[in-house]
Amino acid sequence: SPQDEDTSFHFDGSGYSLVEKALRSTVTQILLSFSTFSPNGLLLYLASNGTKDFLSLELVDGRVRVTVDLGSGPLALTTENRYNNGTWYKISFNRNKKQGR
């Protein structure tokens, strides 16, 4: 969701950050930058309190996979290209109700 503060985290592959933000029921906007040589790893996981709704961004064999479940079962999309070559990449995910990009 749009925020006033600019927050960034840097990890060496052995840590994580827990940030309490609500997964909104109708609108989600995520902008994430990453650089890694690791082929697998969790980039972002959002879950709603009290429901089974979630959104995850992860690397699987170097490919970015986004998985979303907003109550009607999970939908997973995976890129064809690999992104674990040490280059900085930016992921943008936008959702308005049932439309996502």
Side-chain angles (χ1 to χ4, degrees), residues 43-90:
L43 299 171
L44 176 76
Y45 183 80
L46 297 173
S48 290
N49 291 335
T51 70
K52 294 181 181 180
D53 295 355
F54 75 91
L55 180 142
S56 70
L57 290 169
E58 59 189 319
L59 283 178
V60 178
D61 294 326
R63 295 174 172 90
V64 175
R65 177 184 294 164
V66 59
T67 306
V68 180
D69 188 345
L70 299 173
S72 58
L75 168 67
L77 302 170
T78 305
T79 63
E80 292 183 15
N81 295 332
R82 289 188 167 91
Y83 297 93
N84 62 321
N85 58 10
T87 301
W88 279 97
Y89 291 100
K90 189 178 289 187

